[in-house]
Amino acid sequence: MSDAVRIRKNSFYSTLSISSRLIANVFVFWIIARYYGPEIFGQFKSAQVLATNFIILADFGFDILLTTEVARNRINAVYLYRQFYSLKLMFSLFTFTAMWLLSLFGNFSQETRTLIQILSFYTIFTTLTNHLFALYKGFEKLEYETKVSLFINVGLILILFPLIILKINIFIIALVFVFTRFFGFIVAIIYSFKLIPNISFRISFDGFSEIKNKVFIFGFFLLFNNLFFQLDTILLSLWRGDKSVGVYQAAFMLIMLPLIIPDIFINTLMPFLSRLNVENQVQWKRAGYLMNKILIAVAIPISIILFAFSEQIIKIIYGSRAYSETIPILRIFAITLLVRFSLESYALMLTTSERQKIRLITVIVATLLNFILNYFLIPIYGPYGAALVSLITNIFVGIIYYATNYKLVSEYLLNYKVLMFVLVSLIMAYFSWLLRDINLFISIPVLGLIFIFIIYYIFFTKSEIELMFSKDFKLMFTKKK
């Protein structure tokens, strides 16, 4: 199978997997927010965000490391999986216990405390399933992940939708999350035997000394990389209560949908770029360059729409004055979204060139910065202050990633087409703001068509368009621009 076919196939499956997971969660959280109100929604999101961070802690870098190591050495996949699985299981049990202790001794409402305890089971099943997904990715068999993800997320929507409409107790909703993840884990195990018939789930800590340095770098990175982006939700729950979390997360959910796009790129290209970094540096740079351009082309129009039409978007989606405070928060998140998109390609280039330590130090400092700023701004400005801190923290991370990739930045950004696209986009943003009262269902299609024209005729070159749709991806990368 050629690189082009493999990448398109895996991109398709990755899109289905990530989209099904995120759309299911966003859809479920949206109807909870709409039907249960900000306070109950805030309770559920406080517990869910905490569970998400504990999933990252349980992962501790094992998933990404398993993917990259298997991609480089598939012959020893059984040994590598058993090695990482044993550590993953140990960390999963540790996080399960930690969630219970935090729920008992943390300053949470009784409802939030109970939800945390229920979702501790969701955490352990999710993290073990994700580890099997990492194995699939190492073999570039993303179709297995897609099948399991669809099973989990379609089932989640079908079961929960009627229950939420009937306003069933929120604890029952949390239990459904747990059971869908449990059955998804069972299905994931079945597919792992199809991939590697002699796969072993026997616990073994042999060879830990060989990988411990990489484990700690990847593990602490993933923990702090997630924490600096979601710490504000946990702090809002502790310092301002469940309603503030609900108002804040109502905006946060709306940027999570477009954030599936860089996730798809990372999911698909990480093993490919890891291999290219060893085999061909020219291809590695050009693949990263194209990824960067695509992300910028997608992020700018989405950010403009979320910023200019935030009031209409909030009214249509939530249909309640209780979420009026979410409007200015969404505008800040629109800018944060653009920052996140612009730094993702440079972040991936650091990871695939084995410079993960730079990312680790960056996100640790970013988490400390986030906590310090939130300590002063949340008590005064509440969720709006938390959104500002999130933007500042992401800008800080972006500056570091740009600085440590300055050669790539000069190649990727300092050219006529990119600068012209940014200038035209600023003009479009200005007029969108002036015309923000025009009906959303008219303005968005018109704006979208204009940007499609600009992206096709101004931003991308003919060779780049040919490359994205070429039959021989590898050959096109080796051609001169």
Side-chain angles (χ1 to χ4, degrees), residues 290-308:
L290 186 58
M291 172 184 172
N292 186 69
K293 287 196 76 172
I294 294 172
L295 290 178
I296 291 173
V298 171
I300 288 179
I302 292 175
S303 297
I304 290 173
I305 289 169
L306 290 175
F307 187 92

Side-chain angles (χ1 to χ4, degrees), residues 124-137:
I124 198 167
F125 294 132
T126 300
T127 190
L128 293 176
T129 304
N130 288 346
H131 198 54
L132 288 168
F133 289 168
L135 179 66
Y136 305 158
K137 291 170 191 172

Side-chain angles (χ1 to χ4, degrees), residues 61-78 80 84 134-140 211 214 218 269-281 284 348-356:
F62 300 128
D63 292 353
I64 290 180
L65 201 51
L66 178 63
T67 296
T68 54
E69 292 297 315
V70 169
R72 290 189 174 106
N73 188 12
R74 292 178 182 173
I75 295 174
N76 293 320
V78 174
L80 289 169
F84 288 116
L135 179 66
Y136 305 158
K137 291 170 191 172
F139 281 91
E140 297 184 59
I211 61 170
K214 287 185 178 180
F218 274 87
L269 293 180
M270 182 180 292
F272 177 68
L273 286 172
S274 295
R275 177 162 54 86
L276 284 186
N277 183 257
V278 176
E279 296 175 358
N280 193 315
Q281 286 281 315
W284 176 74
L348 187 57
M349 299 307 268
L350 286 172
T351 297
T352 56
S353 60
E354 297 189 315
R355 292 187 289 164
Q356 188 75 0

Side-chain angles (χ1 to χ4, degrees), residues 170-230:
I170 196 68
F171 301 138
I172 303 298
I173 303 298
L175 285 170
V176 174
F177 269 79
V178 173
F179 283 113
T180 53
R181 291 313 186 273
F182 169 73
F183 288 112
F185 176 53
I186 300 301
V187 175
I189 291 175
I190 294 170
Y191 278 112
S192 71
F193 281 105
K194 289 187 176 182
L195 183 66
I196 308 176
N198 61 330
I199 191 172
S200 172
F201 294 94
R202 181 171 57 86
I203 295 175
S204 172
F205 295 103
D206 294 339
F208 176 67
S209 58
E210 302 171 13
I211 61 170
K212 64 180 180 181
N213 290 334
K214 287 185 178 180
V215 166
F216 286 123
I217 290 173
F218 274 87
F220 283 113
F221 162 72
L222 282 176
L223 176 62
F224 286 100
N225 186 56
N226 189 72
L227 197 58
F228 92 81
F229 195 44
Q230 301 213 36

Side-chain angles (χ1 to χ4, degrees), residues 49-105:
V49 168
L50 196 63
T52 299
N53 281 277
F54 273 102
I55 288 169
I56 300 298
L57 178 59
D59 174 2
F60 208 71
F62 300 128
D63 292 353
I64 290 180
L65 201 51
L66 178 63
T67 296
T68 54
E69 292 297 315
V70 169
R72 290 189 174 106
N73 188 12
R74 292 178 182 173
I75 295 174
N76 293 320
V78 174
Y79 170 74
L80 289 169
Y81 181 77
R82 186 171 68 245
Q83 190 179 45
F84 288 116
Y85 163 77
S86 302
L87 295 168
K88 184 70 177 276
L89 182 61
M90 181 180 69
F91 271 73
S92 298
L93 294 173
F94 168 76
T95 55
F96 175 82
T97 305
M99 281 190 71
W100 271 80
L101 291 174
L102 185 60
S103 70
L104 294 173
F105 299 105

